[in-house]
Structures are given as structure tokens and as C-alpha cells.
Amino acid sequence: MEFEAFTASELAAYLGAIPEIRALLGEPHDLEVAEVGDGNLNYVYFVTNTKAPERSVVVKQAPPFLRLVGKTWPLSCQRMEHEVAALRRFGALCPRHVPKVYHADSKRFLMVMQRLASHRILRQGLMDGVVYPKLAAHLSTYLAQTLFHGSDLFLAPDIKKEAMSAAVNSELCKITEDLVFTFPFEDHPSNVYSAALPASSLERLRTSEALRIAAGDMKWAFMNHAETLLHGDLHTGSIMVNEDETFVIDPEFSFYGPIGFDIGAVLANLLLAYFSRDWHGRIDDRDPSGYQEWLLVQVAEVWNGFSAQFLKLWREHESRGERGFIGGHAEARSVEGYRTHFMRRLLADTLGFAGCKMIRRIVGMAKVADITRIPDAQARARIEVRCLRCAEDLLVKRATLGSIEQVVMLAREVQRETITHA
Amino acid sequence: MEFEAFTASELAAYLGAIPEIRALLGEPHDLEVAEVGDGNLNYVYFVTNTKAPERSVVVKQAPPFLRLVGKTWPLSCQRMEHEVAALRRFGALCPRHVPKVYHADSKRFLMVMQRLASHRILRQGLMDGVVYPKLAAHLSTYLAQTLFHGSDLFLAPDIKKEAMSAAVNSELCKITEDLVFTFPFEDHPSNVYSAALPASSLERLRTSEALRIAAGDMKWAFMNHAETLLHGDLHTGSIMVNEDETFVIDPEFSFYGPIGFDIGAVLANLLLAYFSRDWHGRIDDRDPSGYQEWLLVQVAEVWNGFSAQFLKLWREHESRGERGFIGGHAEARSVEGYRTHFMRRLLADTLGFAGCKMIRRIVGMAKVADITRIPDAQARARIEVRCLRCAEDLLVKRATLGSIEQVVMLAREVQRETITHA
């Protein structure tokens, strides 16, 4: 059967026929349907009772192709089942930061979920210079809760292997393997380069051995290191916020992968916001530096908050059990030494993934508005070059950047440097 | 149904009822059945036609418990299906070094396979000081063929993920996780220490932070790095040899794990043979040093032969495709740089796993005859201390030992050191 997107009245009728949803939303003839999908993959609708606008849900439907490209890039619709399973798992682990799923229909490749009506996409908020006082605390909690509880540090090994096997997501992983880890490092036809981006910056991606080896390591880790259940696409467009609340949405890329991948995605997008602030923050002759500093504080607090909570969960879990991961009692000195070592390796992984994520947003097919909404081609290219420089350093120096504070210093240095175009 | 091992006549009758096996072996009343299992897990029989002894097969049956311990350590019988699948896969990749499977019966947890009548277990041959001129070439070919073709360097990513998922082997992996990576590093009741082993050597396993962190890294890699389909238990008791041929048997621990694990197991067992030769090679006042040198040459040749063949397979595969693993054409300079980097990381992994494997054979439950057949308690302890020292160095220095030649030098140094007992 050919996939047809719902018309507004078809969707209202469909929802009216599901008792739980009808109870939530009211009568079909009172419903207003608005197509709001700006994603690359799916159709997304807000469905609202016009007589009682607080009665509202989100409906998400997965067409059997990559929406960004069209029917020439087919995708299996199973990704909706995948996303539902991930939302339910993450929701159980971290209910404060994951929207509720009210209904899932695997035949229609569709789900009905909590409407976050007073929240906006974090990327938009950051472009507008909004300060979210609880953002870092919320994101670090979400990351620690989800990433710890899917790993061998928490799950029994058989349960973890079963979860890993159930979460295999070859098709969407392939998109990441290609678009994040491979195509940006070659002259691929799907790449999109902004007009003024200097050739020397592109050239480095294809010739710098240290950079290419580092990116190869991250690709290998992405494809092989089945450490925990990841969100898999945790950029600032997958986060909805207001002053008080933070929700992580859209985990359709979810799979068992390296712990650092989700954290790296968050840090990469904060750093893209930081460098692009040099444009957005100067509109009307304002000074970008204050908000830029706030963004760097978020970088540090997301990692430090994550790290502290992850370690706390790990210590508490082992103190309840009979032994630590490395054998022996949970309190042994080397058990804590192993934890320190583990977190340092995890930071290195995180920075490597952050670097790859930044690079793909500059030279790859799928851009971010932080960058593309800079109308001045020269200013945009200057910012893109800084993003690429920072990304390269994150990748190449990931094992020697021993703390997130050094990452913050690195970002400041890259920002300060005078960029001369080749 | 309670598991009952076959009697000889029951097994002969069972085999006679399978047409292909009857064609191979002849009439049931001509068959002689000998139980020969000396393994920790299974029942193994040689079934031979007494009138034509060249007509002979091996029958292997998996009881629903760990044979070494008994019915108090239950195991699922699915491990036989697992082993059959692995034998068939490895046999397709490397037919010269993997025995043929003639028949598999998943209801009886049983398989019938090629009899290697003129071959013996490699461990026995090494204890007797036999030189196998083709051993290193054969083992390195087996390792390169099986480990390369299961990995993302060869398989399409969806095929690889499917194979990984099908090869999940939680129960037998748990045995390795516990017996190789955890129990040896604590005072576990299943550990077995030889009488004269100095307390200081045991103490290091429980207190040396660098050693325990390294072992923790290897455990994490074992549990998470799903790089290729492994044999999973490739010690010298899983290898059958004669002067001309080498076969790898018993892949029931097979699963998707780190590429270095199988190679590390081979090197560990060659090093255990090397150190224990200091006893076996002195019987009747002989000089052990010649055979010890041959063993070290095997260590170097197994790695170097593996590495050369693995790289050759990789280069040939990429030159046939449109791009290298890291993007760009297969001939780009950094593509070869990535390969060098990859092999160096793989050597580090290999050495770390070799270290863990050596340690478990000295302090863990499952010993090796190379060590246990040394009747002189002091001599045995001296050799055990050397094995532990070498293993610790392999683990702690695995990233800085940049070549297998340095590993060989390390082994010689450990052998030369005067051991003073604490």
C-alpha cells in the first residue's frame, strides 16, 4: 500500500476512534490539525481541541522514505516502533524529561504523544539568546539516568545483551555512519558547502592524517561499541525547553552505541551555538560575549553534572551489590581509580563525537539554523572555519584534553583567533 | 527431560539411523564408541568402524550443565546450536583449518563432525616439545580470515549487525566475564592457587591499581566491543595439529566481540608454554632454551602473519569498493595511516587480552596442563610468578609495546630475571 499522509479530517476521525485519545482530546469535529514537521524524516501534527486548547496532543507518523529527500530514499517504517520503544524506556528511567506516549499504532507507523505546548525547540531559544537556568541540570540528569541504566555497569549482562540485540537499528545507524563519519571526509555529492567557506578548510578534512584517523576511530566506536541505549540524535533540535522544564524528543535513531555519543551531540550543538552567536548576538549592535559565556558554562555544567550523577549512580549501585565492575568490594581504592579512568576515557570519546557532529553540520547535507540563518556569507564562513578548527582540535586532542574546563578554554581560544581566509 | 549421556550402543544405534552418517561410518554393530571428553563443558566421543578404522567421526553432545562442576552449574543446551553455526561460518571462511560438520541435531544438543585422527591437541604437542613448522602460518591465516570477514571492514553494516545479534551468547560470555576478567582479581572461592605461589603475587592482582584498571578496560572491551565473530576460547587445547595440518575446534563460546580476543588467547597460551618449558624442557637434563626460542618465534609469527594477511584482505577489499572505511579513495595516504593506527590499537587490545588469559590460568578455576603437570611445587610457583609478571606487563604496557618484537623481548627478560620468593 502506497503511503499517503493523513488529511486533517482523516486524522481527526482516526483519533476520535481511539477511546483513550478521544477522552483526552474530545470530539473529532472540535479538533484542529496543524502539520508542523520541520524534521528531515517524519510527518508531525499538533491536534488541538479548538474549544479547550489545553487539550492537545502531538501525532508523529513515519513515512517509508527519508522526508528530506523523498521517495527516492526509502526507509523502513519500523523506525516508529523503534522510537516508541525508546521513548517508553527513557520515559521509565527519566520521566521528568521525556514526553509521554499515549498511543502507538505499528500498522499506521504512528504515535500520539504528550504536547509540549509551552515549550520551544532549544535551538530556536539559543538563537534568540534565551537563558534557560535549569537547562544544564536537566540535560545532565537525563544523560546520566539514561546512559547509566542501559549499560553493563547497571544491567545484568544477559539482560543488557538482549536489550542491545532488540535495539539494532541498522537503517538509521547507516545514515549516521555515512552523513556524520564518512561523507564529510570526502568530496561527496551530498555535501553542501557555504559560498565563502575557504578551500583550505575543506582540504583539511580530506588530507589531515591526524584528523582523518581520529574520525575513523570515532566511526569504528560508533559502529562497534555497544555500551548503552542511546538517543542517537541528541542535537538541540531534539530538545524542547521552557524556563522550568526540559524534554528530550525524537529518539528514532536510538540503538546500543558508545556512551559518549549522546553527550558529544549535546556539547557539539552548544559549541555551534557558541560560535554562531558571534553573528546572532551582534544584531542591533549588541555584544555577543555575555551569552557566549553562558553557553560555555552550559558546556562545562552539562559534562560536570553528567559526570557527577553518573558516578553517583555507579557508586550507589555497586555499594548495593557484592562487587565492583573490576572485581572486589565496591570500596576498594582501585575501584574508584577505575571510575576516574573510565570517566576520562568517556570524556575523550565524548569530545571525539562532538568534533564529528560539528564537522557534519558545516560540510554535510543536514545543516543547523544557527549557521544557515547567517545571511552575510563572509561572516558565516568565518564562523564555520572556527567551528571546523574547534572540531578538529576536539578530535585530535581528545585524549589529552583532560577536563571540560580545557575544552572551554579551547573554544575561547578558537573564538579569539584572527581568522585569515586563504 | 533429564539429560542422560548416551551409552555406547545407544549412540551407535542413533548414528546408524542417520543415512548420511551410516554411509560414512558403516553398520552400527561394527562401531566402536570411546568417550574422550577432557573438556570442561561437553561429552565427546570417537566413533570408529572397527573393520575400517579410517571410517571414524567425532560426536559432541552438550549437557545442560557445566561438566567441570556438574548439575549445580546449569547451562542452556543452545550452546551446541551456537557452536554448529560458528563451525559452519568459520568453515566457509577458512575450510583448511576448520573441521567439517556432517550432522547437527538441535533436539539432542549433538553434532557429528570430522575426525582428526592423525592430529593431536596442540597443548600436548607443545608440552612434548614438538616443532610444528606450519603452525604460525596456519594460525595466522585462520585468524586473519575469520576475524576480518566478520567485521565492519568487510561486511555491509546491516549484515554485520544482523550477524552480531544472531551470535549473542550471554551464558558462555558470562563464564568468561567472571572467570577471566573478574574472579582472578578478587579473593573468589572458585580461584585455585598452587601451594607455593607467593602471597605477594596474589596480592598484586587485588591491589595494583594500574593492573586492575587495565583488566577493567579489557573486561569492558570484551563486554561491549562487538567487532567481529570470535571463536571465543582459542587456547592451545582448542587447536589440533600434525606436521602438515592445523584445525581450530570447539567454538562454542563464539560471539561478536573484540578482534584482539582470539589473537590474545593464542599468544597467551604460547607464552604459558614458553614459561612452563623451563620445567618440561629440563626433564632428563635437557636444555629448554632452543624450544623456548621456537615458541617465541611462533608468538612473533602468529601476530606478524595475522597482521600482514589482515591488512592484505583489507586493502584488497577496499580497492574493489568505492571508498575506504574512513571515506575517500582506498589509495589515499591517510587511509594507509589509519590502517597502521588500527593495527597498533589492535595489538594493544591483543596484549591486554593475552595478559588476562594468562592470569586466569594461574589463579582461576580452569588451569592448563602446561602448568599443573609440573610436580615440583617450587619450580611450578617460580614459573607461575613469571607468567603473572609477564601478564601484568602486557596489560599495563599494552599501549606502549609498539611491536610484537618488544613483546618477545619482554618475555625473555621476565624469563631471565632471578625470582626471589617473598
Side-chain angles (χ1 to χ4, degrees), chain A residues 36-218:
Chain A
V36 296
D38 65 348
N40 299 329
L41 273 78
N42 303 307
Y43 291 90
V44 182
Y45 307 88
F46 290 161
V47 183
T48 308
N49 186 318
T50 50
K51 293 184 182 153
E54 74 284 1
R55 299 174 78 176
S56 183
V57 298
V58 175
V59 177
K60 190 167 173 182
Q61 194 177 22
F65 47 80
L66 186 69
R67 195 180 171 193
L68 177 69
V69 173
K71 294 188 181 179
T72 56
W73 189 318
L75 282 180
S76 113
C77 304
Q78 271 65 54
R79 68 184 190 276
M80 188 52 73
E81 285 181 60
H82 219 87
E83 179 169 357
V84 169
L87 275 173
R88 286 177 169 156
R89 171 72 181 151
F90 295 144
L93 292 172
C94 197
R96 281 181 61 203
H97 302 303
V98 180
K100 286 187 215 31
V101 177
Y102 298 130
H103 174 76
D105 181 339
S106 61
K107 290 204 190 77
R108 292 278 197 163
F109 321 118
L110 169 155
M111 78 171 127
V112 184
M113 57 195 292
Q114 183 182 0
R115 171 82 187 274
L116 302 168
S118 66
H119 309 69
R120 63 195 297 220
I121 293 291
L122 175 59
R123 188 182 309 284
Q124 303 298 331
L126 299 184
M127 283 169 64
D128 290 346
V130 181
V131 165
Y132 297 101
K134 299 176 182 172
L135 179 67
H138 288 169
L139 286 178
S140 57
T141 299
Y142 168 87
L143 290 167
Q145 289 290 341
T146 59
L147 302 178
F148 177 77
H149 288 105
S151 80
D152 280 311
L153 299 176
F154 175 73
L155 293 177
D158 54 338
I159 304 293
K160 185 259 188 166
K161 290 176 181 80
E162 202 178 292
M164 182 266 288
S165 191
V168 165
N169 194 357
S170 302
E171 199 170 57
L172 295 203
C173 281
K174 181 74 163 72
I175 294 177
T176 307
E177 289 154 20
D178 288 345
L179 296 191
V180 177
F181 296 107
T182 312
F183 298 166
F185 301 94
E186 58 186 41
D187 186 18
H188 194 270
S190 73
N191 290 347
V192 178
Y193 313 119
S194 74
L197 188 66
S200 60
S201 291
L202 286 178
E203 202 52 27
R204 289 198 66 71
L205 300 176
R206 297 174 204 153
T207 58
S208 164
E209 188 154 304
L211 171 59
R212 289 171 65 76
I213 287 175
D217 278 347
M218 302 327 295

Side-chain angles (χ1 to χ4, degrees), chain B residues 197 299 391:
Chain B
L197 188 66
V299 166

Side-chain angles (χ1 to χ4, degrees), chain B residues 152-174:
Chain B
D152 281 312
L153 299 177
F154 175 74
L155 293 176
D158 54 338
I159 304 294
K160 186 259 189 165
K161 290 176 181 80
E162 203 178 292
M164 182 266 287
S165 191
V168 165
N169 193 358
S170 302
E171 199 170 57
L172 294 204
C173 281
K174 181 74 163 73

Side-chain angles (χ1 to χ4, degrees), chain A residues 165 186 219 323 325 328 334, chain B residues 165 186 212 219 323 325 327-328:
Chain A
S165 191
E186 58 186 41
K219 180 179 178 181
R323 66 165 53 86
F325 181 79
S334 46
Chain B
S165 191
E186 58 185 42
R212 290 170 64 76
K219 180 178 177 181
R323 64 165 55 86
F325 181 79

Side-chain angles (χ1 to χ4, degrees), chain B residues 10-27:
Chain B
E10 283 165 358
L11 183 54
Y14 170 84
L15 295 173
I18 303 160
E20 311 87 282
I21 305 297
R22 195 182 188 116
L24 211 62
L25 280 180
E27 299 304 308

Side-chain angles (χ1 to χ4, degrees), chain A residues 15 19 27 30 54 81 90 121 127 136 143 150 156-157 162 166 197 228 230-231 240 245 315 319 331 341 350 377 406:
Chain A
L15 295 173
E27 299 305 309
D30 291 334
E54 74 284 1
E81 285 181 60
F90 295 144
I121 293 291
M127 283 169 64
L143 290 167
E162 202 178 292
L197 188 66
T228 198
L230 294 174
H231 178 282
M240 294 195 69
E245 292 183 316
R315 287 187 194 107
S319 70
E331 298 76 25
H341 169 82
T350 297
Q406 285 183 264

